[in-house]
Structures are given as structure tokens and as C-alpha cells.
């Protein structure tokens, strides 16, 4: 499947992946946010993921996020990878349920300026997790 978007020199590279490719790449990343029909997991990437249960999965580190998501009932995959050092905003959010999901979640917004000099967000992705609790335990 592996299509890459966009063709411009954005600070991120986006690839469309099959669900199997997304799961394989995602499991190599240290952190995950996984929403299933019966549970939510946030923390270190778990060893086992039941794809039949997954509504959305986001695997991430500081420079890459791999997503699994449902679209019209079918599971799809995509990866968003940082390719430059500049042009992003980073925010850390304190988690309300820190005993269950950890202490903080980092969100990165990658920025790009168009030909008129107007800056806009080209991608928003998870970029870090801190905490003692993991995997919704």
C-alpha cells in the first residue's frame, strides 16, 4: 500500500499503510494509546493487541506516530514521521487520571508556512508519555 503524502517539503512525511504494516511498525515504538470496544490503554506499547477489538491505536515516540483507525468499518493504517528539526509546537498535558494512565502526555503540532508566509499546522501527533501507571492498569 505505502503511499507517501504530501509531495511538498513539509516537516513531516505521511505514509498510508495496510493495517498489518501499521501494527508491525507501531509495535516497534515505545508508547501507545489504544481505544478498543472494551478498554483504553495508554503507556508502554503492549505485547498483544487484538485487532478485532481496536477502534483506534496510536503508537508513538518523539519523531513518529503510527495510527490504526476504523473508516467505514474497515481498519486502516498511516504513519506520520518528522523529517526536519524546526517548525513545531509542543505541549505537555497533565493527565487527570494519573493513577491509571500516567502523569503527562506530549502533543506535537508540526508547522509549515505557505508561499504567502502564513503559518499553519500540517500535522498533530502524540510525541511522548510520562508516568508510573501503564496500560490502563
Amino acid at each position: 500500500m505505502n503511499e507517501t503524502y504530501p509531495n511538498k517539503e513539509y516537516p513531516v512525511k505521511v505514509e498510508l499503510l495496510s493495517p498489518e504494516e501499521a501494527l508491525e511498525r507501531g509495535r516497534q515504538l515505545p508508547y501507545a494509546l489504544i481505544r478498543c470496544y472494551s478498554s483504553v490503554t495508554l503507556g508502554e506499547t503492549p505485547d498483544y493487541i487484538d485487532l478485532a477489538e481496536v477502534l483506534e491505536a496510536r503508537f508513538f515516540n518523539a519523531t513518529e506516530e503510527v495510527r490504526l483507525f476504523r473508516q467505514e468499518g474497515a481498519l486502516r493504517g498511516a504513519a506520520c514521521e518528522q523529517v526536519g528539526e524546526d517548525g513545531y509546537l509542543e505541549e505537555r498535558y497533565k493527565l487527570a487520571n494519573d493513577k491509571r494512565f500516567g502523569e503527562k502526555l506530549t502533543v506535537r503540532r508540526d508547522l509549515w508556512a505557505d508561499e504567502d508566509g502564513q503559518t499553519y499546522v500540517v500535522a498533530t501527533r502524540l510525541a511522548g508519555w510520562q508516568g508510573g501507571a501503564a496500560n490502563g492498569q
Side-chain angles (χ1 to χ4, degrees):
M1 184 167 208
N2 280 359
E3 292 182 55
T4 303
Y5 295 94
N7 295 329
K8 296 180 181 181
E9 290 295 319
Y10 283 154
V12 294
K13 176 177 76 172
V14 177
E15 293 178 80
L16 300 179
L17 306 171
S18 71
E20 296 78 21
E21 290 171 313
L23 182 60
E24 182 179 326
R25 272 182 64 180
R27 293 192 66 206
Q28 296 172 23
L29 297 174
Y31 308 117
L33 168 61
I34 304 171
R35 293 187 320 110
C36 295
Y37 289 107
S38 60
S39 66
V40 175
T41 299
L42 175 60
E44 295 176 359
T45 301
D47 293 329
Y48 175 74
I49 300 160
D50 182 0
L51 287 182
E53 278 282 308
V54 171
L55 292 168
E56 175 190 29
R58 298 172 72 163
F59 305 94
F60 57 96
N61 65 17
T63 59
E64 181 178 15
E65 181 180 273
V66 176
R67 296 180 186 177
L68 279 166
F69 55 94
R70 294 216 176 258
Q71 186 177 46
E72 298 179 10
L75 207 54
R76 309 265 190 234
C80 181
E81 184 176 3
Q82 178 181 330
V83 293
E85 292 296 318
D86 297 327
Y88 63 83
L89 297 174
E90 193 170 270
E91 297 173 324
R92 288 180 181 80
Y93 295 96
K94 182 175 179 359
L95 300 173
N97 194 345
D98 60 351
K99 289 182 177 34
R100 184 165 181 199
F101 295 116
E103 296 174 12
K104 293 180 184 174
L105 189 63
T106 303
V107 175
R108 186 171 285 180
R109 289 179 176 80
D110 294 290
L111 306 174
W112 186 249
D114 65 15
E115 57 276 351
D116 294 327
Q118 300 294 316
T119 301
Y120 59 96
V121 175
V122 293
T124 300
R125 58 191 168 82
L126 300 178
W129 173 82
Q130 291 178 306
N135 298 328
Q137 303 298 319

